[in-house]
Structures are given as structure tokens and as C-alpha cells.
Amino acid sequence: MSTYLHRLRGVREHLAAKRDHYRALADGLGVPHSAWGEHLDRARVLEAEHGRVCARIRHLNQALAWAAARWAVDQAAALGASVIYLEDLTTLETRGHRRGNAVTTAIPAFAARWRIASATVPRTCPDSRAGAGSRWTGITPPPAGSSPAACSPRPTPSPTAPPAPGPSAPRWRAPCAW
């Protein structure tokens, strides 16, 4: 599918270049020229074809996003996950163009079919003093300058050790990006 999308993007760029070329030819001839209407008619035909190719690309991108969301939810279900956390990256987009992501829109729909909860968490934590992975996520951040081993889950206590005080569910560390 990605090869097909790549080819369509090339076709779209070619059509846009031809359309712009015909418009430039018409602009260079001046208004009362006999070939002016012919060039603009060709540009209008190319504009319509460009719109059809763009619609086809949008449709394929949407289908690809839903397939990716389905794959992600299937993986979570196979692992027995009860919650899927989605990081909200819309704040990284340009202001005025924040419309979300098709994959993050589709994941809650597929997750509901598997009875898996989905939650969108902000890109940065609300408490700026806490840093990445603070109390509100339940994730303990690794110490600064730590090795990848510091990001692994905490070891389970030995059966002879007394139970640790506090909540019954152990805290875990976020997987590293290494």
C-alpha cells in the first residue's frame, strides 16, 4: 500500500506542476490573447484531476491509519492489556492546524470492541517540577544519566522477604527508548 501511495504522491506533484505551468503560460500571454482560454481550460482540467488524486490519497491514508490502529489494539489484546495510553502530540503541531491524528482517533474505537480502556495523556506532565513520568502517570522516571538497566521493571521480591508496605500493586518504570 505504501508503494501505491508513493506513486500517487508523485502523480499529484506532476499534475500540480503541469497545472502551474499552464497558468504561468496564460499569465505570460496577457489577457486578450487567443491561446489564453485554452491554457486556462487545460489548467482547470488538471486542477480537477489533482483534486481526485488528492481524495484518493486521503482515502488510502485513512485506511492505512485504521489498519495501524487495529494492529496496535490486536497487539495490546494479545498481551492482555487492560488500558492503552495514547500520548497527545497535538501540541507539537502548528497552532490552528491541530486536528489530531487518524490513528489516535481509531484506537479508542477498536479498543472498545475488545473492552480495553483507552486514555489520552498530555505530552508533558501537568506538574512541571516532576518531569517526565510523574505521580499522575504512576511511572517512576529513571535517574538522570542512568543506564538502560535502570529502566527495566523493578525486580520482584523473593518469597522469603516480608511484603513491602504500601499499595498492593507494585510501581513500574517506563520502558526505555534505547
Side-chain angles (χ1 to χ4, degrees):
M1 181 181 276
S2 64
T3 306
Y4 184 56
L5 278 169
H6 183 70
R7 185 182 64 81
L8 280 177
R9 288 181 186 123
V11 168
R12 178 188 62 192
E13 291 173 9
H14 178 72
L15 288 171
K18 283 179 72 171
R19 176 202 59 207
D20 294 343
H21 179 70
Y22 279 121
R23 286 183 181 161
L25 284 175
D27 289 343
L29 292 175
V31 177
H33 200 275
S34 61
W36 187 65
E38 182 182 333
H39 290 314
L40 289 180
D41 288 342
R42 288 179 182 172
R44 274 191 288 277
V45 169
L46 290 170
E47 179 68 35
E49 183 63 25
H50 181 266
R52 284 192 289 272
V53 171
C54 287
R56 195 176 314 152
I57 289 171
R58 273 192 307 274
H59 176 74
L60 287 173
N61 280 335
Q62 189 73 15
L64 188 62
W66 278 79
R70 182 173 182 157
W71 177 86
V73 171
D74 287 346
Q75 294 298 310
L79 292 172
S82 60
V83 179
I84 297 174
Y85 290 100
L86 302 169
E87 189 175 14
D88 184 13
L89 299 176
T90 56
T91 56
L92 296 177
E93 296 177 10
T94 308
R95 288 185 181 154
H97 297 281
R98 296 178 182 170
R99 57 185 174 88
N101 184 332
V103 176
T104 58
T105 304
I107 283 180
F110 283 118
R113 293 180 187 173
W114 282 96
R115 299 192 193 288
I116 298 174
S118 64
T120 303
V121 295
R123 180 178 64 87
T124 57
C125 66
D127 185 6
S128 60
R129 293 173 287 126
S134 65
R135 284 170 269 141
W136 64 274
T137 61
I139 298 171
T140 306
S146 64
S147 66
C151 295
S152 61
R154 291 186 179 175
T156 57
S158 66
T160 58
S168 60
R171 290 178 54 112
W172 56 280
R173 293 180 185 226
C176 285
W178 291 285

